[in-house]
Amino acid sequence: MRTSVAVGAFSPSVLLRVARVVGVLGSFAVDEVPVASSPAQFRSLLDGTLDAALTSPDNALAYRYVPDNPLGTTADVRIVSAVDGGLGLALYARRGVPLDVLGVDVPDSGFAFAAYALLDSLGISGYRVVALGSTPRRLSALLRGECAATMLNAGSDLRATEEGCVALARVSSVCGPYLGTVLATVGPVSDAVAGLAHALRVTTARILAGELDDVVTAEAATIVGPSLAPAYLGLLRDPAEGLVPGGSVSPASLETVVRLRERFRPGADLTDALAPGSGLVVRA
């Protein structure tokens, strides 16, 4: 009997698609659901429409510890597995355009906090912040001139470079160590979500070992095109920004995410987030 798992993702997950192609998912039928924004993703996660989310760890913090998050409610959000260190996450801009408008998912979110830190490192201030939604939407907005700069990763960064945009600063250089994507759920981890986490960790190990290069480039080509697929493989295998071996959440990388939120959105008590046994991070 097959078990269906609905997973919400901002950008198409090459890791998940490779796991499906090579048969690592076994009896699990995984439905990858595109989400428009982090509030939309967690609204679906909290109401049970989604079983799990490929999301920023900052979203897990916001919807576990911060009552005035965009949905105005908290829940027993749990990080089941680390996925990647950002996959090329960097601040991208159009050449020759004044940095007057920053495009973000929502202003009080993890990638936005990282963007503020990168802009600070560049000595840039006085910009206007506009909410534009998920990473693919922000790429389109950047290319249409609806913002001057935005945070991009997971293939959108490669497409931005191909279109003539430039990376002004990388998160791994300014804010490292960084945790970019995690697999998260709400409440006790179901067998299906635990099975998915295991499958992603197995697939990660095989990709990092160089066993699945052809499969990865084939799947990446369907998302970023054949010319950029080898570069996407390079992102996945990057030691600082790529897939996380074993899916272990590094305390140092999680602390980076916590400190960024404390710096740019102070007020919530995040003391418990870094405490062993808090329940935020579970191993499944």
Side-chain angles (χ1 to χ4, degrees):
M1 180 177 180
R2 293 179 65 81
T3 301
S4 179
V5 184
V7 182
F10 301 116
S11 301
S13 172
V14 171
L15 175 63
L16 179 57
R17 296 178 182 201
V18 170
R20 181 183 292 118
V21 169
V22 300
V24 178
L25 293 174
S27 62
F28 298 107
V30 179
D31 182 16
E32 184 182 13
V33 181
V35 294
S37 65
S38 52
Q41 183 185 55
F42 272 78
R43 183 179 297 110
S44 296
L45 192 61
L46 268 59
D47 70 17
T49 304
L50 295 175
D51 301 297
L54 290 169
T55 193
S56 162
D58 179 77
N59 288 329
L61 296 175
Y63 293 100
R64 184 179 177 94
Y65 297 112
V66 184
D68 64 344
N69 63 56
L71 298 183
T73 187
T74 57
D76 184 17
V77 180
R78 306 183 185 194
I79 295 173
V80 182
S81 187
V83 177
D84 64 61
L87 289 187
L89 186 62
L91 181 68
Y92 278 82
R94 291 177 290 130
R95 294 180 185 273
V97 175
L99 294 181
D100 54 352
V101 179
L102 172 68
V104 299
D105 173 10
V106 292
D108 295 334
S109 64
F111 282 12
F113 299 147
Y116 305 153
L118 296 188
L119 287 164
D120 278 1
S121 76
L122 296 169
I124 297 172
S125 61
Y127 50 85
R128 181 165 59 92
V129 178
V130 294
L132 298 172
S134 64
T135 304
R137 292 184 175 210
R138 296 197 310 278
L139 170 62
S140 296
L142 180 67
L143 298 181
R144 290 195 301 263
E146 296 173 8
C147 64
T150 192
M151 297 293 283
L152 298 174
N153 72 333
S156 290
D157 56 319
L158 302 177
R159 292 178 55 202
T161 300
E162 189 176 52
E163 293 292 335
C165 298
V166 58
L168 301 180
R170 304 186 73 83
V171 170
S172 61
S173 298
V174 177
C175 305
Y178 190 76
L179 182 58
T181 306
V182 297
L183 180 68
T185 191
V186 173
V189 181
S190 68
D191 289 344
V193 172
L196 173 60
H198 175 72
L200 295 181
R201 289 192 288 262
V202 170
T203 306
T204 290
R206 294 186 63 185
I207 291 174
L208 295 180
E211 298 176 9
L212 302 175
D213 289 5
D214 290 344
V215 180
V216 171
T217 52
E219 290 303 309
T222 67
I223 297 171
V224 298
S227 65
L228 296 178
Y232 197 104
L233 173 61
L235 285 178
L236 293 178
R237 295 174 65 175
D238 184 272
E241 302 178 359
L243 297 174
V244 177
S248 298
V249 176
S250 158
S253 63
L254 183 59
E255 182 173 2
T256 297
V257 176
V258 169
R259 301 308 177 210
L260 283 170
R261 173 166 279 275
E262 290 178 332
R263 176 181 173 186
F264 294 106
R265 187 64 163 84
D269 184 2
L270 301 179
T271 305
D272 188 56
L274 298 175
S278 69
L280 171 63
V281 179
V282 297
R283 181 73 178 184

